[in-house]
């Protein structure tokens, strides 16, 4: 009887140990899943400070989860203190959550910082449809490069090249915002290169990390929030959720590697890009277009991820509600998914839509932003909207083409570099609520 009581007591101790280690394993994996897996944000609005802190601690949390799972497994296989289905439920759940929050984000969003693949304009229509939309940028006198939304969607980051001064330029892309921004970012003070990699999304906009420092920031804001928070002596990443005023950025003197300088971009269709820039190049996502048939597991995985991403961005583009319910009250001045061309000069922010410019006389809107005379111009021949600096306060009265030439001749105007082309209004207005909408001439 005593022996039976001891056996029962021992079994209970093992069950308690199994339960505790299982709870730690599932709990820590769930922590990573909640804050770092996109799937969780379909139903949860995670706290941005928690997300950034979880990311900073992710390796320690993952090690804790894995170690707890190992101990939990050892207890089970040594004692068989619980039924096998219970063991399977605990460790299967932990493994799935750990994979989703810790492993999968890096696998499904593989940036192309060093091995970006480009195809000449003359060949790209053999791969892609001419109706596809692209974001275009150009470095100095180099030929333009185009980034189809469908191709840059999963990598999120692709190296464009370097400026004449040797400064690296990367195209960053967020399908939830419908936004591509090319950033020129010099090396760190120690000479190490800034290497941007996608992390997650917050408020339906991409969060990026600098791989060499671990610094984090939102794509649309273009700054290292980690460096900014340290400079201002802040306690929470809530203090860095919006781009600070320009005078504050100058005052705190962030190193140039912590502030992305925008390179001009514009939108058009792939067919019009090929026709306009016959010597240009087009970015191709190699793991989307060139499947590795020798690795069927990877091929099936990438095909599945491509499908999930495509469905998500289609939903985002065609439904008034955002894919992730992480936005607050949506500004009612425009429909939530209206595509806007948002830009700023200093702290004066403006958003215009295509119809506002396209339907104006000669496809022109002369406006002043931050005291600077600008002209928004619609080139009907290539169906592209551009924002240009006017040479004087005098209004531009004749059509401006894709190259910035007035009436197709003369010296080209300079493109404004801060333009975010075709961003969804609900996201743009969340980050820049002070924006003016379709200001009259």
């Amino acid at each position: 009887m005593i022996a039976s009581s001891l056996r029962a007591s021992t079994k209970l101790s093992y069950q308690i140990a199994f339960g505790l280690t299982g709870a730690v394993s599932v709990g820590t994996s769930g922590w990573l899943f909640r804050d770092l897996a996109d799937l969780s944000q379909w139903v949860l609005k995670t706290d941005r400070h928690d997300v950034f802190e979880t990311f900073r601690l992710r390796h320690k949390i993952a090690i804790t989860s894995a170690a707890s799972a190992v101990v939990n497994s050892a207890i089970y296989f040594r004692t068989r203190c619980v039924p096998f289905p219970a063991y399977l439920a605990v460790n299967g759940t932990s493994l799935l959550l750990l994979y989703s929050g810790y492993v999968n984000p890096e696998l499904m969003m593989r940036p192309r910082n060093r091995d970006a693949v480009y195809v000449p304009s003359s060949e790209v229509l053999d791969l892609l449809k001419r109706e596809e939309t692209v974001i275009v940028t150009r470095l100095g006198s180099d030929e333009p490069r185009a980034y189809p939304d469908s191709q840059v969607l999963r990598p999120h980051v692709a190296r464009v090249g370097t400026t004449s001064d040797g400064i690296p330029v990367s195209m960053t892309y967020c399908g939830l915002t419908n936004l591509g921004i090319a950033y020129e970012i010099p090396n760190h003070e120690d000479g190490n290169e800034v290497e941007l990699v996608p992390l997650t999304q917050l408020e339906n906009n991409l969060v990026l990390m600098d791989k060499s420092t671990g610094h984090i920031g939102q794509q649309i804001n273009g700054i290292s929030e980690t460096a900014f928070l340290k400079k201002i002596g802040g306690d929470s990443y809530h203090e860095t959720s919006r781009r600070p005023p320009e005078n504050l950025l100058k005052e705190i003197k962030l190193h140039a590697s912590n502030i992305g300088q925008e390179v001009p971009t514009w939108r058009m269709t792939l067919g019009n890009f090929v026709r306009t820039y016959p010597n240009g190049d087009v970015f191709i996502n190699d793991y989307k277009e060139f499947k590795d048939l020798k690795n069927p597991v990877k091929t099936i995985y990438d095909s599945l991820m491509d499908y999930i991403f495509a469905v998500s961005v289609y939903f985002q583009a065609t439904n008034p509600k955002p894919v992730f319910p992480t936005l607050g009250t949506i500004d009612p001045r425009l429909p939530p998914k209206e595509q806007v061309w948002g830009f700023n000069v200093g702290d004066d922010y403006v958003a215009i839509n295509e119809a506002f410019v396209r339907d104006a006389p000669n496809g022109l809107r002369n406006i002043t932003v931050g005291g600077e005379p600008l002209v928004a111009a619609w080139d009907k021949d290539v169906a592209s909207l551009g924002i240009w600096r006017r040479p004087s306060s005098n209004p531009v009265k004749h059509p401006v083409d894709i190259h910035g030439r007035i009436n197709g001749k003369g010296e080209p105007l300079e493109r404004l570099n801060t333009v975010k082309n075709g961003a969804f209004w609900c996201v743009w207005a969340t980050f820049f609520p002070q924006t003016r909408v379709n200001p009259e001439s």
Side-chain angles (χ1 to χ4, degrees), residues 101-170:
Y102 182 70
V103 179
N104 190 56
E106 191 169 338
L107 289 178
M108 71 177 179
M109 302 184 293
R110 306 193 293 276
R112 287 297 178 248
N113 286 301
R114 292 186 171 85
D115 48 6
V117 175
Y118 290 91
V119 171
S121 285
S122 58
E123 301 175 14
V124 72
L125 293 181
D126 294 333
L127 287 171
L128 306 176
K129 296 178 180 179
R130 61 177 58 248
E131 295 79 18
E132 290 205 33
T133 53
V134 300
I135 305 105
V136 185
T137 192
R138 184 177 208 160
L139 303 184
S141 59
D142 293 351
E143 290 293 334
R145 285 186 155 176
Y147 297 81
D149 293 75
S150 65
Q151 299 299 309
V152 76
L153 173 62
R154 269 187 66 197
H156 290 81
V157 180
R159 178 58 52 86
V160 178
T162 56
T163 67
S164 57
D165 297 326
I167 300 176
V169 177
S170 294

Side-chain angles (χ1 to χ4, degrees), residues 321-342:
K321 292 184 178 180
V323 170
F324 296 103
T326 55
L327 299 179
T329 302
I330 296 175
D331 191 317
R333 286 180 289 173
L334 290 173
K337 298 301 174 59
E338 181 83 4
Q339 292 186 22
V340 298
W341 276 248

